[in-house]
Amino acid sequence: MTEQLITYEHYRESHWNGFTPDAEDQTKGAQDIIDYAYGSYGDSLVYACSFGAESMVLIDLISKVKPDAKLVFLDTDLHFQETYDLIDQVKEKYPQLQIEMKRPELTLEEQSEQHGSALWKRNPDQCCYIRKIKPLEEVLNGATAWISGLRREQSPSRANTEFFNKDNRFKSVKVCPLIYWTHDDVWDYIRSNNLPYNPLHDQNYPSIGCIPCTKPVEQGGDERSGRWTNFNKTECGLHTT
């Protein structure tokens, strides 16, 4: 266990970076990281939750440590109804969680007036900035660290993710407890613990975002290939600089 609190300003290659969990640790280090994160950062730690499959695992693990943890969902006003229904299920299962539905400054109508209709079809980067990145910047203002469900297996851009990462985008520390988990690990945990999940996952949607920018993936395809199809884009920008 590292003795010095990991902060953005004093970030160094930490004790946890390069740490390989014990083979007998069924959570592959995730529970240790979550325990340390909440024990160290307390209420200044924010979980930016997408309510994807990885989110359900993290919510369950976090609830064992901090039942009243703060979760933030970036509500773009463009999510699937199944996603909103899942959030209601989570609220019922984990009633102490503090779930904030963070919406962008611009409504869809105002965005259309200022930037033209269906901005996501012409400039998805700008749409993501308005509806996701800027709202998270507001949420993380003053937060020492935030939790993300990134896994190394998900895509080449995530292959080098560490447990603790210096996040230059949000001037914070990004904590990623699930970096060693595989797709099968996630689903084994969900099923063995009877956790709720988005039914779209059963319809070949491994990664679920906004309706206009999320498509099903062919069997065996890259998990992120259903996002922003026809664009050279696999990330909304939350995890890139």
Side-chain angles (χ1 to χ4, degrees):
M1 185 74 67
T2 184
E3 295 180 358
Q4 185 177 5
L5 180 65
I6 305 168
T7 63
Y8 177 81
E9 292 79 10
H10 303 99
Y11 182 91
R12 298 290 184 273
E13 290 299 320
S14 76
H15 167 78
W16 292 105
N17 290 350
F19 163 74
T20 302
D22 189 294
E24 296 182 2
D25 180 1
Q26 295 182 343
T27 71
K28 296 187 174 182
Q31 194 68 70
D32 281 343
I33 297 300
I34 290 170
D35 289 348
Y36 168 81
Y38 279 101
S40 301
Y41 300 117
D43 291 334
S44 68
L45 178 64
V46 175
Y47 175 26
C49 182
S50 68
F51 289 92
E54 290 79 11
S55 297
M56 304 319 300
V57 172
L58 283 174
I59 287 172
D60 194 66
L61 293 176
I62 289 170
S63 71
K64 302 177 190 303
V65 177
K66 189 170 176 56
D68 61 344
K70 180 180 178 181
L71 274 63
V72 174
F73 175 67
L74 301 177
D75 186 0
T76 63
D77 294 315
L78 289 165
H79 289 286
F80 291 89
Q81 183 58 47
E82 288 87 344
T83 302
Y84 293 112
D85 292 343
L86 176 59
I87 294 173
D88 289 337
Q89 294 179 54
V90 169
K91 289 179 179 178
E92 182 175 349
K93 184 175 177 63
Y94 306 94
Q96 295 184 63
L97 288 179
Q98 302 178 56
I99 302 177
E100 177 185 354
M101 306 288 281
K102 178 64 176 177
R103 303 178 77 175
E105 183 178 320
L106 297 181
T107 65
L108 288 173
E109 292 75 14
E110 290 169 338
Q111 178 173 298
S112 179
E113 291 172 1
Q114 295 184 28
H115 302 282
S117 62
L119 179 61
W120 49 85
K121 290 183 178 180
R122 295 174 287 102
N123 191 340
D125 285 338
Q126 186 178 21
C127 188
C128 286
Y129 177 76
I130 294 170
R131 312 207 73 74
K132 297 185 75 173
I133 297 173
K134 196 166 183 291
L136 188 57
E137 286 178 348
E138 296 170 1
V139 168
L140 295 182
N141 182 26
T144 307
W146 66 292
I147 292 179
S148 172
L150 297 187
R151 295 186 293 107
R152 291 181 173 182
E153 182 193 62
Q154 286 173 317
S155 67
S157 64
R158 301 181 176 188
N160 296 317
T161 305
E162 297 285 1
F163 282 128
F164 290 86
N165 305 267
K166 187 174 185 179
D167 188 343
N168 294 316
R169 163 73 77 181
F170 298 108
K171 302 295 186 292
S172 181
V173 173
K174 182 164 62 179
V175 185
C176 302
L178 301 181
I179 59 174
Y180 290 116
W181 285 51
T182 65
H183 174 271
D184 288 344
D185 290 332
V186 171
W187 284 100
D188 286 346
Y189 188 93
I190 288 174
R191 294 186 176 107
S192 63
N193 290 278
N194 195 30
L195 301 183
Y197 65 87
N198 195 318
L200 290 175
H201 289 309
D202 294 330
Q203 301 174 39
N204 298 323
Y205 287 83
S207 177
I208 302 169
C210 298
I211 294 173
C213 302
T214 305
K215 305 296 180 188
V217 173
E218 293 183 7
Q219 191 70 27
D222 184 281
E223 290 189 32
R224 303 288 295 177
S225 62
R227 305 293 295 277
W228 302 283
T229 53
N230 301 321
F231 288 94
N232 184 25
K233 177 178 172 67
T234 59
E235 298 283 356
C236 63
L238 298 180
H239 306 294
T240 60
T241 56

